[in-house]
Amino acid sequence: MGERLLGPADVRALAADLGIRPTKTLGQNFVIDANTVRRIVRDAEVGAEDVVLEVGPGLGSLTLALLPEARRVIAVEVDEVLAGRLPRTVAEFAPSLADRLSVVTGDALRVTELPEPPTALVANLPYNVAVPVVLHLLGAFPTLRHGLVMVQAEVADRLTAGPGGKVYGVPSVKMAWYAETRRAGNVGRAVFWPVPNVDSGLVAFTRREPPEGVPRTEVFAVVDAAFAQRRKTLRAALAGWAGSAAAAERILRAADVDPGARGESLDVAAFTRIAGRRRASPSIP
């Protein structure tokens, strides 16, 4: 079919052609290793009927690996120069698959409409926007059933952490509201150009039905309050949210949660119960 992936020389040639000098400070780290993008697509379990949403395709390394496996790839790119070049790159490297690509020029944090409902999210995300991008897209597109994202290793740890650990926090609970997650491995620094100063990790997820009975916004409000002062007990941390410390204690006890516990010890089900008790007793305090 005449398809091929980008190698190190291709990536550098494309960047030079576009006048791009990637810098570590902007989080511009392009994947130059074909085996890595093949691995990502394989671990993402992309199928022939999937409509894949790719965020930040950059020069197209991952895009070219996704196209043979998916029915369609919708690439959202905020950089107009990169967005404009991507269709031409695909036409050159995978001409028979060019009709599977749609490019949307825009900010993934703000996108709410796409040419077709996506079923999978596969992306190499800059660490500083990874969490808000993933959470926004899961909230905006209920059709996203599964996916895999490459993020900074520390971010991967947060997104997949369970209750009780130091890295467990707001991203962990909110991600758990949407999906089951797992660490799908690590990615070495040498597969990027330029070589980053941080390690990367893969996070795979499968959407699950959310806890019933309480709107997401109300559950997330409890989560935000609980971790805003994570060293405090829930009785103290939720005082502002509940109206007073006494009201917080009544809600917590009604939800079968120890008022002396801290947010890091609770799973998403417990946060949902807390929000539900507040909802059931609007007169508190």
Side-chain angles (χ1 to χ4, degrees), residues 72-92:
R72 187 176 188 183
V73 175
I74 302 172
V76 177
E77 175 58 65
V78 69
D79 187 306
E80 293 184 3
V81 173
L82 292 173
R85 184 63 170 84
L86 187 58
R88 186 151 57 99
T89 300
V90 169
E92 293 170 2

Side-chain angles (χ1 to χ4, degrees), residues 133-173:
V133 163
V134 171
L135 294 177
H136 166 69
L137 293 173
L138 284 169
F141 300 102
T143 54
L144 282 173
R145 306 310 304 171
H146 68 106
L148 184 140
V149 292
M150 180 161 59
V151 296
Q152 183 181 356
E154 292 178 3
V155 175
D157 290 339
R158 292 190 194 106
L159 285 173
T160 57
K166 288 185 177 180
V167 298
Y168 182 74
V170 172
S172 319
V173 184

Side-chain angles (χ1 to χ4, degrees), residues 8 12 30-33 36 187-196 198-199:
R12 290 184 172 89
F30 299 114
V31 180
I32 58 174
D33 179 61
T36 296
V187 179
R189 301 183 184 192
V191 306
F192 297 97
W193 174 68
V195 177
V198 296
D199 294 318

Side-chain angles (χ1 to χ4, degrees), residues 95 100 104-105 152:
R100 297 188 185 185
V104 175
T105 305
Q152 183 181 356

Side-chain angles (χ1 to χ4, degrees), residues 60-254:
S61 297
L62 180 56
T63 313
L64 288 165
L66 285 166
L67 286 169
E69 307 300 328
R71 178 167 64 82
R72 187 176 188 183
V73 175
I74 302 172
V76 177
E77 175 58 65
V78 69
D79 187 306
E80 293 184 3
V81 173
L82 292 173
R85 184 63 170 84
L86 187 58
R88 186 151 57 99
T89 300
V90 169
E92 293 170 2
F93 284 78
S96 65
L97 303 177
D99 61 346
R100 297 188 185 185
L101 175 69
S102 298
V103 179
V104 175
T105 305
D107 185 347
L109 279 169
R110 293 179 172 82
V111 64
T112 56
E113 293 184 13
L114 293 171
E116 187 175 347
T119 62
L121 171 66
V122 185
N124 169 25
L125 297 172
Y127 75 91
N128 57 326
V129 298
V131 170
V133 163
V134 171
L135 294 177
H136 166 69
L137 293 173
L138 284 169
F141 300 102
T143 54
L144 282 173
R145 306 310 304 171
H146 68 106
L148 184 140
V149 292
M150 180 161 59
V151 296
Q152 183 181 356
E154 292 178 3
V155 175
D157 290 339
R158 292 190 194 106
L159 285 173
T160 57
K166 288 185 177 180
V167 298
Y168 182 74
V170 172
S172 319
V173 184
K174 292 184 177 180
M175 191 68 184
W177 195 91
Y178 289 111
E180 295 180 2
T181 61
R182 64 179 175 85
R183 278 295 296 267
N186 300 311
V187 179
R189 301 183 184 192
V191 306
F192 297 97
W193 174 68
V195 177
N197 292 323
V198 296
D199 294 318
S200 297
L202 300 176
V203 174
F205 69 85
T206 303
R207 189 186 287 267
R208 63 183 173 197
E209 290 300 313
E212 295 183 359
V214 187
R216 180 180 75 234
T217 53
E218 295 182 19
V219 178
F220 284 9
V222 182
V223 175
D224 289 335
F227 285 99
Q229 304 173 80
R230 65 181 298 154
R231 291 189 177 184
K232 292 190 175 182
T233 65
L234 286 167
R235 184 183 190 278
L238 297 182
W241 166 82
S244 69
E249 180 164 349
R250 286 196 293 272
I251 292 170
L252 288 162
R253 292 195 182 283

